[in-house]
Amino acid sequence: MKSNSLQILLAATLSIFSLPALTLAQDFPLTIEHKFGTTVIPEKPVRVATIDASGADDLLALGIQPVVIKYWFGDYERVVWPWADPYLEEVPDAVVRGDLGFEMILAADPDVILALWSNITPEDYDRLSQIAPVVAVPPGVGNYDMSWDDRALRTGLAVGLQDEAQAQVDAIRAQLADVAASHPEWKGMTASVAAIRRQGDPGAYTSGDIRAQLLADMGFETPQEIEALATEDSPYWASLSLEDLSPLDGDLIVWVSSDGNFDNVMALTDRPYLNVVQRGGEVLAGKEVTGAFSHATLLSLPYGIERLVPMLEAALDGDPETNADDR
């Protein structure tokens, strides 16, 4: 099954789902409540700065060329990743790497600053607010806890394009529903999204993480053995022992890697003994697919879903010799 193209998805206009936290009208001046207080945006912004880890994507999807971009990770010449590069006319002079660089942001003269996936402090917020109105996460929400769709809709709200953001969110939801409907056999199957962290420790994402949630939208379930390993300090990541990878042993494992190197995965001594590996139910999702789901944006998700689905199909076709992944 092939998903609709990215162009069709981004143009799709489906039924509008309301988001209780974002029911403000698109009239300006616009008042937005957030974790640091209240921000008033006097008029529809033209010059938009983003200090979000992946905030440039959603702005580009909405047709806005950001005047400030936050570099997150990757070695791409134009800062943004392949799914966003065609939408970027030119890299702005203000690219935030590491520290915020208040002087650089000030020089960009933004009308609004978006900080929805950002670890800014109250002191940072006060300094940024002297430059332009700042939009942060809603009250009671952690710095990186907004879901992909809530983040996109809040971005759309802040720049006066909430209806367009909603249409694109709905298109991605429809893409995921289409995948699930086309693969009814996936419903109820267990799927782990696993990785090896820089320290060399293996683990898997819990159902609270965006990666597991996207698989859930396709019909899969996170193994209860993974869920049981979550802790209060680590609610989204379950650490595993090098000597015991059995919590991964379900219907499917999707290994993710930010650099596309799976040598450390192949070197796991317990891995070949997992039933799921012996059945061929294993996917190695390389740098770009991993990055697409890590970014979780209006541009990256259609790109990632289209590439991941054939990998899943090959892993679950019953033939351990076939694969369509990034190994």
Side-chain angles (χ1 to χ4, degrees):
M1 188 281 294
K2 293 184 179 179
S3 302
N4 294 333
S5 67
L6 175 59
Q7 289 78 15
I8 293 175
L9 286 165
L10 293 179
T13 303
L14 304 172
S15 60
I16 301 302
F17 295 91
S18 63
L19 183 68
L22 299 180
T23 55
L24 298 172
Q26 286 289 270
D27 295 331
F28 289 85
L30 181 67
T31 300
I32 300 180
E33 303 292 331
H34 53 75
K35 68 178 293 184
F36 298 114
T38 302
T39 288
V40 177
I41 305 173
E43 56 188 6
K44 183 175 180 177
V46 175
R47 299 179 61 80
V48 182
T50 173
I51 55 174
D52 297 348
S54 59
D57 283 17
D58 286 340
L59 290 173
L60 291 169
L62 296 173
I64 293 175
Q65 297 293 314
V67 298
V68 177
I69 288 178
K70 168 73 173 176
Y71 169 78
W72 185 15
F73 72 103
D75 54 3
Y76 296 100
E77 183 178 355
R78 281 163 46 90
V79 183
V80 297
W81 284 57
W83 51 80
D85 191 78
Y87 298 85
L88 183 67
E89 294 174 2
E90 61 182 46
V91 180
D93 292 335
V95 177
V96 176
R97 298 174 183 267
D99 295 338
L100 281 177
F102 296 98
E103 294 78 9
M104 179 171 55
I105 297 172
L106 174 63
D109 190 27
D111 297 323
V112 69
I113 301 170
L114 303 183
L116 302 179
W117 234 24
S118 170
N119 62 350
I120 63 169
T121 65
E123 292 73 25
D124 294 332
Y125 171 77
D126 289 341
R127 290 189 66 182
L128 290 168
S129 296
Q130 295 176 33
I131 300 173
V134 180
V135 178
V137 298
V141 176
N143 290 335
Y144 298 101
D145 287 350
M146 287 194 78
S147 64
W148 68 270
D149 44 355
D150 286 0
R151 202 167 80 242
L153 292 174
R154 197 166 178 86
T155 295
L157 173 69
V159 299
L161 294 170
Q162 190 179 10
D163 285 350
E164 175 60 23
Q166 183 71 67
Q168 294 191 34
V169 164
D170 291 344
I172 295 172
R173 289 174 176 162
Q175 183 186 17
L176 289 164
D178 184 43
V179 171
S182 301
H183 301 85
E185 72 277 10
W186 291 357
K187 185 173 179 59
M189 282 189 173
T190 56
S192 303
V193 183
I196 297 182
R197 294 198 161 178
R198 292 177 182 175
Q199 304 89 328
D201 300 325
Y205 294 96
T206 69
S207 60
D209 182 82
I210 178 62
R211 302 158 187 84
Q213 290 170 359
L214 289 166
L215 287 180
D217 287 335
M218 298 180 193
F220 297 99
E221 298 177 358
T222 301
Q224 287 303 309
E225 293 83 355
I226 297 296
E227 301 285 73
L229 294 173
T231 65
E232 185 175 345
D233 293 334
S234 181
Y236 306 127
W237 175 258
S239 295
L240 299 175
S241 165
L242 288 168
E243 293 75 28
D244 182 12
L245 300 179
S246 62
L248 301 177
D249 207 357
D251 296 304
L252 176 74
I253 303 176
V254 179
W255 291 98
V256 293
S257 168
S258 60
D259 62 5
N261 187 332
F262 292 98
D263 290 347
N264 52 5
V265 172
M266 295 302 181
L268 292 168
T269 55
D270 196 41
R271 174 185 156 273
Y273 301 104
L274 296 175
N275 292 322
V276 61
V277 173
Q278 295 175 5
R279 291 195 307 270
E282 188 178 45
V283 167
L284 306 184
K287 174 181 177 179
E288 289 186 4
V289 173
T290 296
F293 289 106
S294 297
H295 280 68
T297 64
L298 295 176
L299 293 181
S300 75
L301 289 177
Y303 181 99
I305 294 165
E306 287 188 351
R307 283 153 183 78
L308 181 64
V309 169
M311 299 181 184
L312 303 181
E313 291 170 340
L316 296 170
D317 67 358
D319 184 351
E321 300 301 320
T322 60
N323 66 78
D325 58 14
D326 293 322
R327 69 186 66 200

